Amino acid sequence: MLSAWKELLYECRTWIELKLPDNYHWEREWQNLGNHAWEIFWGSADSIELAMDDLERRKLSRSWTALNWIGESSSMTGADAIAFPDLGAETRNPNNRVWRDEKAAIERFYRRLGCFLENLPLDAEPEGTLVAKNEKISIGELVKRLIAIYSTGIAKKLNIPRLEEGFSDIYRRPENITESKKGRWTGWFMGDGDEVGKHLKNLAKVDNSDEEVKRFSSAMCSWGESFAINFRQELGRVIYAGGDDFLGVIYSEEKKDAVKPQVALDWLIKLPLEWEKHQQNITVSVGFIWAGHSVPQRDILQHCREAEKKAKSLGRNRVTIRVVFNSGQYIEWTCPWDYLKILSQYQDLDGKSNWTHIYTDLAHLEAKSAFNIDKRNFNQEFIFDFFDIYFPGEGQNLSDYDFAKHVIGFTDENEGNERIEKIIDWMRNLIKVGFQLCSNT
């Protein structure tokens, strides 16, 4: 595996140096990535349980990160060093470097790379279709990009099969946005089974542990395959489902109507029923992103990871819904699966599901600092009464400590005003997310 990785790096580096002649000072950085990027651990013992314990001990040695001694950051991770010809030059010194000169050299490299990939003269101005004009990426990110662009010939030379599907078929925006052709919102979901490692350890302790572990693995693999194959085609597609973790996108083809947010939400509410088909005793946490047409896909995937992590950090077995606007700003709300139905229980004073009423009321109350818990005359019962107006009975439910702890995910360490603040934030975020996904206006 390590030999194949180093061969891949070598082919990418030499391809760049051949296609874009320059004075390169970066071979050592590529070698470092070849030697340290992958860390492989294995555990062995006389039983599955002991072998997994041995594996956990070995994994504690994970500590290597790519060197970035100058301190600039790539546009994708924000932490890795930017790949360009002078990356490893001995003349680079944080004490006396001239960022203006390096910035020009970096921009020149990515402009020339973009031109070559778009079959333009190297001194032209690329459109940014394969390498965005503002992108400054690391060696690892550059390798992924070159392998994915099949026209480079690198993947073919290494006998890497071409991906059957990519992201290019997902229609999000027309080339020119007009009144008749507007950008489309899309839904992205990333999920992962909760505490699978712990579950496997428990299986390893029972009689017939070998068979139980095999049965569990087979059930999860079968579920992932079925989930991907049977996903409703008119709703979108599953990009991968590797067992207990999966990624998918909700969208419609260019010639069809855009998927309405309520349709995406209805599917999300039913996802736990789909998950339970594997009949294994594990729950799932999911990050769901409803993204505007101008949000870059790399940002969407990062939002997916963050939202899924948020769902796990607040108690697992729940979903974090994040609405990401074209500006890059977002709102999010986390809820256990068994309480997600609250979105469909909303009704205004006219008995209708017009979310504008509660959204407007929230704005007015916020403007008057009605939720300021530091005020002397603040009455926490007001919060639950307000919620009861639009979600009958649910405000009083949330006033119960154990119920609120389950729904909102706070801990016993959160006391008094801190706990009330978390309840207010949860209600506020519910209203804002609900207005974006459930409103008919």
Side-chain angles (χ1 to χ4, degrees):
M1 177 178 175
L2 294 176
S3 296
W5 170 242
K6 291 178 181 179
E7 182 183 6
L8 190 154
L9 292 177
Y10 174 80
E11 292 296 340
C12 288
R13 179 174 63 82
T14 54
W15 182 90
I16 295 172
E17 294 174 356
L18 177 64
K19 303 300 183 182
L20 305 174
D22 209 323
N23 189 17
Y24 287 91
H25 302 277
W26 65 357
E27 184 175 354
R28 183 178 62 179
E29 280 63 30
W30 284 78
Q31 290 175 346
N32 283 337
L33 194 69
N35 291 329
H36 303 294
W38 288 93
E39 295 180 277
I40 301 174
F41 303 92
W42 67 92
S44 59
D46 294 332
S47 69
I48 291 178
E49 181 181 7
L50 293 177
M52 292 180 69
D53 288 339
D54 185 43
L55 174 62
E56 288 298 320
R57 282 193 297 271
R58 294 173 182 265
K59 285 170 65 177
L60 292 175
S61 65
R62 289 184 293 182
S63 62
W64 186 86
T65 55
L67 298 176
N68 184 9
W69 64 286
I70 292 295
E72 83 280 357
S73 58
S74 70
S75 55
M76 293 189 72
T77 66
D80 296 329
I82 299 172
F84 79 112
D86 285 336
L87 174 61
E90 294 182 0
T91 55
R92 296 187 82 200
N93 190 312
N95 293 325
N96 55 24
R97 67 195 282 249
V98 180
W99 169 243
R100 187 186 303 106
D101 295 341
E102 285 198 352
K103 183 173 182 289
I106 291 172
E107 291 178 346
R108 175 178 179 271
F109 171 72
Y110 284 98
R111 184 174 62 252
R112 295 175 75 219
L113 177 62
C115 286
F116 187 88
L117 294 174
E118 295 177 21
N119 294 317
L120 298 173
L122 294 184
D123 58 352
E125 186 65 33
E127 295 182 6
T129 55
L130 297 175
V131 178
K133 294 182 179 181
N134 62 343
E135 277 193 310
K136 310 292 182 290
I137 55 184
S138 68
I139 292 178
E141 295 157 357
L142 182 56
V143 168
K144 293 178 183 179
R145 187 69 56 86
L146 294 178
I147 289 296
I149 301 173
Y150 211 71
S151 60
T152 63
I154 299 174
K156 185 177 182 181
K157 187 175 182 179
L158 294 171
N159 294 319
I160 298 175
R162 189 170 188 171
L163 293 174
E164 295 180 2
E165 290 183 301
F167 291 109
S168 58
D169 64 316
I170 299 174
Y171 182 74
R172 300 180 60 207
R173 61 173 296 166
E175 292 185 6
N176 297 308
I177 294 180
T178 63
E179 188 63 31
S180 59
K181 287 188 175 182
K182 299 181 179 180
R184 292 183 178 180
W185 289 71
T186 47
W188 303 69
F189 54 91
M190 178 179 286
D192 183 53
D194 295 324
E195 297 185 315
V196 173
K198 182 177 179 180
H199 181 70
L200 286 170
K201 282 188 175 182
N202 291 333
L203 290 180
K205 296 177 182 178
V206 303
D207 296 335
N208 250 356
S209 60
D210 286 10
E211 291 302 318
E212 288 299 322
V213 170
K214 288 180 181 179
R215 189 177 295 112
F216 172 77
S217 298
S218 176
M220 296 310 305
C221 287
S222 296
W223 179 87
E225 183 178 5
S226 175
F227 179 58
I229 293 175
N230 297 324
F231 194 81
R232 289 163 47 196
Q233 190 172 2
E234 70 275 10
L235 195 60
R237 65 182 171 92
V238 174
I239 296 167
Y240 73 77
D244 70 299
D245 64 312
F246 51 88
L247 169 69
V249 55
I250 294 176
Y251 72 103
S252 62
E253 297 177 0
E254 181 177 358
K255 296 181 180 179
K256 297 182 179 179
D257 294 336
V259 176
K260 295 182 179 180
Q262 184 64 57
V263 173
L265 185 61
D266 290 342
W267 172 85
L268 184 65
I269 292 174
K270 297 176 182 177
L271 179 57
L273 297 177
E274 183 68 32
W275 173 257
E276 291 171 359
K277 289 181 179 180
H278 54 62
Q279 298 182 340
Q280 303 302 303
N281 189 27
I282 58 171
T283 57
V284 66
S285 296
V286 171
F288 180 83
I289 310 302
W290 186 248
H293 61 79
S294 292
V295 182
Q297 285 180 349
R298 61 179 180 274
D299 291 356
I300 291 175
L301 296 178
Q302 182 63 28
H303 281 293
C304 282
R305 286 187 284 268
E306 292 175 359
E308 180 195 288
K309 185 177 180 180
K310 183 69 172 291
K312 287 183 177 293
S313 70
L314 291 176
R316 301 185 179 89
N317 195 22
R318 57 193 68 213
V319 58
T320 293
I321 301 174
R322 183 176 286 191
V323 179
V324 185
F325 302 98
N326 290 325
S327 64
Q329 301 294 314
Y330 66 87
I331 53 177
E332 70 175 17
W333 174 64
T334 304
C335 185
W337 290 111
D338 59 5
Y339 200 56
L340 193 56
K341 61 182 183 296
I342 191 174
L343 287 170
S344 60
Q345 295 174 353
Y346 168 80
Q347 63 179 34
D348 59 16
L349 294 177
D350 297 325
K352 299 179 180 179
S353 58
N354 186 348
W355 282 79
T356 302
H357 288 168
I358 191 172
Y359 188 79
T360 303
D361 282 353
L362 175 67
H364 285 317
L365 291 171
E366 287 183 326
K368 296 179 180 296
S369 301
F371 299 114
N372 184 357
I373 62 176
D374 294 327
K375 292 169 61 176
R376 286 187 177 181
N377 60 346
F378 179 79
N379 181 0
Q380 69 179 45
E381 288 301 318
F382 155 73
I383 301 299
F384 304 115
D385 292 341
F386 167 67
F387 202 67
D388 268 337
I389 294 174
Y390 295 101
F391 298 92
E394 299 302 333
Q396 291 307 309
N397 286 338
L398 287 170
S399 67
D400 178 80
Y401 176 83
D402 291 331
F403 185 83
K405 179 181 178 181
H406 163 66
V407 169
I408 295 166
F410 56 72
T411 67
D412 292 332
E413 296 177 356
N414 303 131
E415 298 179 352
N417 285 354
E418 186 179 6
R419 187 170 70 247
I420 294 298
E421 187 69 47
K422 289 183 177 294
I423 294 175
I424 293 172
D425 286 343
W426 187 88
M427 292 179 176
R428 180 188 289 120
N429 294 332
L430 162 62
I431 294 169
K432 292 180 178 179
V433 168
F435 176 74
Q436 295 296 328
L437 297 183
C438 307
S439 179
N440 293 322
T441 58

